[in-house]
Amino acid sequence: MASSSPSHASSELAMLLLGRLDGLLQNSPWADIWLARARLQGAAQLAGLAGVPIDVRHLQDWISGRTSPPRASEGLNDPVSVAAVFHLAIEASVGDNGPLARATLNVLRTVLDDRSEAEVWAGSDLAYFGPAWRQARIEAQAPYPSPSLPSVADRITAMLKTVVVAEQSAVDVTAIDGRTLTLEPRSRDRAWLVASHVPAMLHHAGLTLGILPSLILLPKFPPHGAGELTDVITRSLLVACQSSLRDLDWIERQGSKALAVSATRRSRAPLLARLALAYPGLRPSAVARLLDVTPQGARKLVAKLG
């Protein structure tokens, strides 16, 4: 019997690990924490694809109330605001109606409402990227011929052709000496808009039971052919699932230690310990809103967790 090709073996292993991750999250008491962290990881990946490279720590600082949105006041000529990327990344998973998904979204928006932040910091970006993002969402949710990575790759290829286009027309400029110059339109990269929907696409294609927000899978410059793209997302899925399984294992180990903190039956410290795994460094003002306690009580809880 002929041996399997390396790409076939890689695909089988990637799907095996995806199934394992998806299955563990259905039963893990720490699935909500993993989902919360995965939202930040996915948003950070998308920001990098959109040309505003940040890491999860920058988002955590923003959510905890220590900073404004990343890169918001650095005077950088960024092609898009991180606030816009973050909002669209969150919105891409809103269609997940699972109770855990809704709970983690509610907690996040108690700490930081991405909708209001995007309006303040990224109104022009939402106006520019919004129509293409909505078109991508419609295509991402359409039925798939089969629950497979090639089906997802075919859909991504089609979406890239329709979404990643230059909307501006060439501009004629007359120089001071009378010459006419034609300036080609400056295309703003929009492949990240398609990438934001990949976790939902895996779900709608029947490959996952829920939307796993960190499975972005696309590189900054995706290949044009569906076959080559299948190989790319297979390799990315393998790496992402391995990383996600390690993160879930870390959460379970750290969570057991965090919940070992001494507390009375009515104490909110155990709940705060869980939230701190997802949003480390929460300020007392945010803790007071989250747990519905007084500012003084929030400071005591934060100090208790050290």
Side-chain angles (χ1 to χ4, degrees), residues 27-144:
N27 300 292
S28 173
W30 302 98
D32 56 336
I33 304 301
W34 185 90
L35 283 170
R37 290 166 61 88
R39 288 185 191 277
L40 306 188
Q41 292 163 5
Q45 292 177 57
L46 284 175
L49 298 182
V52 281
I54 59 170
D55 57 34
V56 172
R57 176 179 53 83
H58 293 120
L59 292 176
Q60 290 172 336
D61 286 344
W62 178 27
I63 290 171
S64 68
R66 289 193 293 271
T67 67
S68 298
R71 305 173 70 95
S73 59
E74 297 178 26
L76 301 175
N77 186 25
D78 290 334
V80 61
S81 165
V82 171
V85 178
F86 184 73
H87 170 63
L88 294 179
I90 298 302
E91 283 292 309
S93 64
V94 166
D96 188 346
N97 292 320
L100 274 178
R102 289 197 303 270
T104 56
L105 179 60
N106 290 338
V107 168
L108 171 60
R109 284 180 167 166
T110 303
V111 183
L112 177 82
D113 192 328
D114 56 287
R115 297 161 296 190
S116 61
E117 293 287 321
E119 289 179 3
V120 171
W121 298 97
S124 60
D125 289 324
L126 294 182
Y128 181 87
F129 293 105
W133 183 89
R134 288 189 290 273
Q135 177 61 36
R137 179 169 60 180
I138 292 172
E139 297 184 35
Q141 295 176 351
Y144 292 77

Side-chain angles (χ1 to χ4, degrees), residues 126-191:
L126 294 182
Y128 181 87
F129 293 105
W133 183 89
R134 288 189 290 273
Q135 177 61 36
R137 179 169 60 180
I138 292 172
E139 297 184 35
Q141 295 176 351
Y144 292 77
S146 65
S148 65
L149 289 181
S151 291
V152 173
D154 283 340
R155 183 65 55 79
I156 291 173
T157 301
M159 291 166 65
L160 288 171
K161 290 178 180 178
T162 59
V163 171
V164 184
V165 294
E167 292 184 338
Q168 298 167 305
S169 58
V171 178
D172 291 334
V173 177
T174 302
I176 193 170
D177 59 2
R179 291 178 301 162
T180 299
L181 306 175
T182 299
L183 301 181
E184 293 300 322
R186 181 185 178 188
S187 176
R188 297 175 70 177
D189 182 24
R190 294 193 287 176

